[in-house]
């Protein structure tokens, strides 16, 4: 996913990439640890433009993912979609009106540094996919999860467990004893 700066014309540049998730180190690691699976290709569409020495990259990334529901542990598929806009510069611009004591990082300015005559977008695309992943994957918003007593998937069956003392909110305090000393 290398962009050669010399290939960017005045009209800009449009590119499309389709690569397996295994070619992205973090995504490959997530698959290896069975956190999420990516059965298809990571599809990326990019529009690139040069403006005053800055390389503006906007685009979308799409991939299908296989998750394990955090409530019922069932496997389900979901599309991952992310739109992004990035700005690359070779050198940081001068900041006016700020004392010499202040250090501003490229990230603080919303810029990413590059060197040479190419920009590798693999890390940026990978980061967009990871940020689009749900923190707690759910197969459905109304997923009933597993019975905490017998382990039955409550989406598929009704268990016969007693639901009367089912609240786990304060179960950690059940055997808590307070020593009242004066």
């Amino acid at each position: 996913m290398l962009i050669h700066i010399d290939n960017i014309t005045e009209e800009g540049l449009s590119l499309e990439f389709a690569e397996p998730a295994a070619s992205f180190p973090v995504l490959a690691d997530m698959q290896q640890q069975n956190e999420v699976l990516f059965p298809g290709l990571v599809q990326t569409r990019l529009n690139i433009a040069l403006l005053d020495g800055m390389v503006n990259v906007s685009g979308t990334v799409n991939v299908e993912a296989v998750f394990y529901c955090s409530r019922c542990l069932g496997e389900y598929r979901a599309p991952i979609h992310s739109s992004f806009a990035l700005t690359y510069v070779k050198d940081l611009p001068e900041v006016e009106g700020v004392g010499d004591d202040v250090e501003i990082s490229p990230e603080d300015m919303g810029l990413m540094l590059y060197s040479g005559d190419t920009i590798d977008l693999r890390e940026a695309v990978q980061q967009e996919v990871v940020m689009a992943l749900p923190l707690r994957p759910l197969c459905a918003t109304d997923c009933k999860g597993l019975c905490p007593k017998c382990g039955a998937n409550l989406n598929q069956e009704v268990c016969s467990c007693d639901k009367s003392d089912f609240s786990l909110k304060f179960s950690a305090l059940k055997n808590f004893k307070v020593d009242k000393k004066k």
Side-chain angles (χ1 to χ4, degrees):
M1 297 190 127
L2 289 176
I3 297 173
H4 295 277
I5 304 301
D6 297 337
N7 293 343
I8 305 171
T9 63
E10 286 184 25
E11 295 83 33
L13 182 64
S14 293
L15 298 173
E16 290 187 25
F17 297 99
E19 295 190 22
S23 64
F24 298 90
V26 172
L27 302 182
D29 187 46
M30 292 175 83
Q31 283 194 121
Q32 188 176 12
Q33 297 193 18
N34 284 329
E35 294 177 25
V36 63
L37 302 174
F38 301 100
L41 298 175
V42 177
Q43 299 175 354
T44 309
R45 290 187 176 163
L46 303 171
N47 293 313
I48 305 156
L50 279 174
L51 180 64
D52 294 330
M54 296 185 289
V55 179
N56 294 317
V57 179
S58 61
T60 59
V61 61
N62 295 295
V63 64
E64 185 174 5
V66 177
F67 298 101
Y68 298 99
C69 180
S70 61
R71 288 186 191 160
C72 70
L73 305 179
E75 187 178 287
Y76 72 98
R77 291 176 178 257
I80 300 298
H81 174 78
S82 179
S83 298
F84 58 92
L86 306 168
T87 302
Y88 289 87
V89 293
K90 207 166 207 158
D91 299 309
L92 286 178
E94 292 293 321
V95 179
E96 296 180 16
V98 177
D100 294 335
D101 315 358
V102 178
E103 287 188 31
I104 298 177
S105 71
E107 291 81 20
D108 292 340
M109 295 169 49
L111 302 174
M112 301 174 78
L113 291 174
Y114 75 93
S115 59
D117 59 348
T118 61
I119 297 174
D120 188 2
L121 290 174
R122 185 170 312 283
E123 178 65 32
V125 169
Q126 173 178 261
Q127 183 177 358
E128 290 299 321
V129 172
V130 170
M131 289 190 314
L133 296 174
L135 291 175
R136 302 192 86 196
L138 291 176
C139 60
T141 55
D142 60 345
C143 176
K144 297 175 185 173
L146 301 175
C147 174
K149 291 186 178 183
C150 71
N153 185 338
L154 300 175
N155 296 315
Q156 298 172 350
E157 60 186 283
V158 177
C159 68
S160 58
C161 295
D162 182 22
K163 308 278 192 269
S164 60
D165 60 336
F166 189 63
S167 177
L168 300 175
K169 291 179 183 175
F170 296 102
S171 63
L173 300 174
K174 181 178 169 184
N175 296 322
F176 182 71
K177 305 240 189 268
V178 177
D179 186 19
K180 295 183 182 182
K181 293 183 181 179
K182 290 186 181 186

